Amino acid sequence: MGQSFSFGFSDSLLAEVGGVKQNELHFDVEAILQSYERIKPLARRLGVEPPIPRLAGFCYPHIASLGAKIVFAEDAEPKPFPIIHQPEEIDQLTEPKDYLAAPLIQERLKICAEIKRRCPQSPNFIGHPLEGPITTAVLLMGSDFLTLPYDDPKRAHRLLKFCTKSALNYARTISEHFGTPIQPGLHGFPDDFGGMFPPKIFKEFVVPYWEEIFQGLKATERSLHSELLRVEHLPFLKELKIEYFDPSADQYLTPELLHQHCPCKFQSRILSWHIHDLSAEELEAMYCKIAESKPYLISFSMSRLEDEPKIQHLLNVAREMKEE
């Protein structure tokens, strides 16, 4: 069996091709549909299926439902701002009566419905249903949360319990809104900040909350995306019965280390800055080197029009290796 791969187009590329600002892909139905229409010739040239129109990727619906402020810059990723400024404020946290009542959630629901009316195959998507509990805690409190398990472990647990419970309740609410209640199957979530805690406290402050998320999602197969784990964290993947691990841009886990130490299937990525900085030949060598470590998937995406020749070359390499 050959090496599997996945490929996609980034939101920044969609904006470039569509001649729009990146933030318009979050709010302007015409800009969204125009961008997806204009990317079709590029998809044909590359020999890939054109993407189906949808709202731009968005990681923060859950914290938006809790009242977090999100700023959408013209040509950058959305930026959230903490709502907890003192540890004592954790004691006053309450869940919203209606997880879909926040103005930003309502706006995205309306835009999603309009895109779907104009393009029925469009998915029911307003953003990722949840982030993992550690990342959510950092988003709500800022980097101060990273010292809280040492300074005030009881409050750290209180915040993590709130993050876990509210994330699951948001995920259930949005799924039911779209008429697709959460069903048993393959489920996962991203928690990029989980690896900030060393194994000594990881077991106490990360493992039980990840387990609760998996159970709440009815995951009969489990996947995880986390960018800051180290080799010493990898045994916890086995403890949590995780089958698929995506280290994404993890600077501590090379494909070689994962091949040696990861207890489950893992994927690898060729990142946007690799594609920007390396030649087509260097990218081919990188792809072949990664494949030697036998990830179950190598993923890469296109984020700039000027990279089309390199992307075409990389796709040719990936297709050839998949057929081997």
Side-chain angles (χ1 to χ4, degrees), residues 130-145:
L130 55 82
E131 294 264 3
I134 312 303
T135 299
T136 302
V138 173
L139 292 172
L140 293 180
M141 190 174 178
S143 60
D144 287 349
F145 174 72

Side-chain angles (χ1 to χ4, degrees), residues 150-171:
Y150 305 95
D151 300 336
D152 193 341
K154 288 186 178 179
R155 279 204 172 97
H157 278 300
R158 188 173 299 159
L159 179 53
L160 288 170
K161 288 175 184 176
F162 175 82
C163 292
T164 302
K165 182 181 179 184
S166 62
L168 287 169
N169 284 337
Y170 170 79

Side-chain angles (χ1 to χ4, degrees), residues 29 32-33 52-55 108-126 177-180:
V29 173
I32 294 168
L33 295 178
I52 298 171
R54 67 166 202 179
L55 271 163
R108 290 181 75 84
L109 286 171
K110 289 177 183 176
I111 296 168
C112 176
E114 178 60 18
I115 295 172
K116 198 167 184 66
R117 186 186 71 81
R118 307 256 304 261
C119 182
Q121 67 268 39
S122 178
N124 291 320
F125 176 82
I126 66 167
H177 172 84
F178 285 127
T180 54

Side-chain angles (χ1 to χ4, degrees), residues 55-290:
L55 271 163
F58 186 57
C59 298
Y60 310 123
H62 167 222
I63 63 167
S65 76
L66 300 175
K69 178 183 177 183
I70 318 290
V71 171
F72 293 82
E74 276 193 353
D75 279 313
E77 294 294 321
K79 181 179 180 180
F81 288 85
I83 60 175
I84 300 170
H85 305 287
Q86 298 294 332
E88 295 77 15
E89 295 172 26
I90 294 170
D91 304 340
Q92 311 304 320
L93 288 171
T94 57
E95 294 186 69
K97 292 181 180 178
D98 180 358
Y99 273 95
L100 305 184
L104 180 58
I105 300 294
Q106 284 294 305
E107 185 171 10
R108 290 181 75 84
L109 286 171
K110 289 177 183 176
I111 296 168
C112 176
E114 178 60 18
I115 295 172
K116 198 167 184 66
R117 186 186 71 81
R118 307 256 304 261
C119 182
Q121 67 268 39
S122 178
N124 291 320
F125 176 82
I126 66 167
H128 299 307
L130 55 82
E131 294 264 3
I134 312 303
T135 299
T136 302
V138 173
L139 292 172
L140 293 180
M141 190 174 178
S143 60
D144 287 349
F145 174 72
L146 297 174
T147 59
L148 198 64
Y150 305 95
D151 300 336
D152 193 341
K154 288 186 178 179
R155 279 204 172 97
H157 278 300
R158 188 173 299 159
L159 179 53
L160 288 170
K161 288 175 184 176
F162 175 82
C163 292
T164 302
K165 182 181 179 184
S166 62
L168 287 169
N169 284 337
Y170 170 79
R172 293 182 188 116
T173 301
I174 192 67
S175 298
E176 290 168 2
H177 172 84
F178 285 127
T180 54
I182 296 171
Q183 299 293 328
L186 173 61
H187 292 288
F189 57 90
D191 204 346
D192 286 332
F193 283 97
M196 292 297 288
F197 295 138
K200 185 176 179 180
I201 65 169
F202 189 94
K203 187 171 182 66
E204 177 184 353
F205 288 94
V206 180
V207 170
Y209 301 104
W210 281 5
E211 178 64 32
E212 188 174 344
I213 293 282
F214 282 124
Q215 291 189 18
L217 293 175
K218 304 178 183 179
T220 56
E221 289 186 280
R222 299 178 174 192
S223 68
L224 175 75
H225 168 116
S226 191
E227 294 191 353
L228 294 171
L229 299 187
R230 279 75 159 174
V231 167
E232 54 265 35
H233 291 106
L234 295 178
F236 291 112
L237 302 184
K238 184 175 181 180
E239 180 178 334
L240 286 157
K241 300 180 176 66
I242 291 168
E243 285 99 335
Y244 302 97
F245 173 51
D246 172 18
S248 188
D250 195 315
Q251 60 187 307
Y252 305 106
L253 291 175
T254 63
E256 293 84 0
L257 285 172
L258 287 164
H259 181 65
Q260 294 175 42
H261 301 285
C262 189
C264 62
K265 295 179 181 179
F266 66 91
Q267 68 166 279
S268 293
R269 294 174 184 253
I270 292 182
L271 301 164
S272 59
W273 55 83
H274 295 144
I275 293 171
H276 298 168
D277 296 342
L278 301 180
S279 68
E281 292 72 22
E282 289 170 328
L283 288 169
E284 178 178 352
M286 172 180 277
Y287 191 96
C288 294
K289 181 66 174 175
I290 291 172

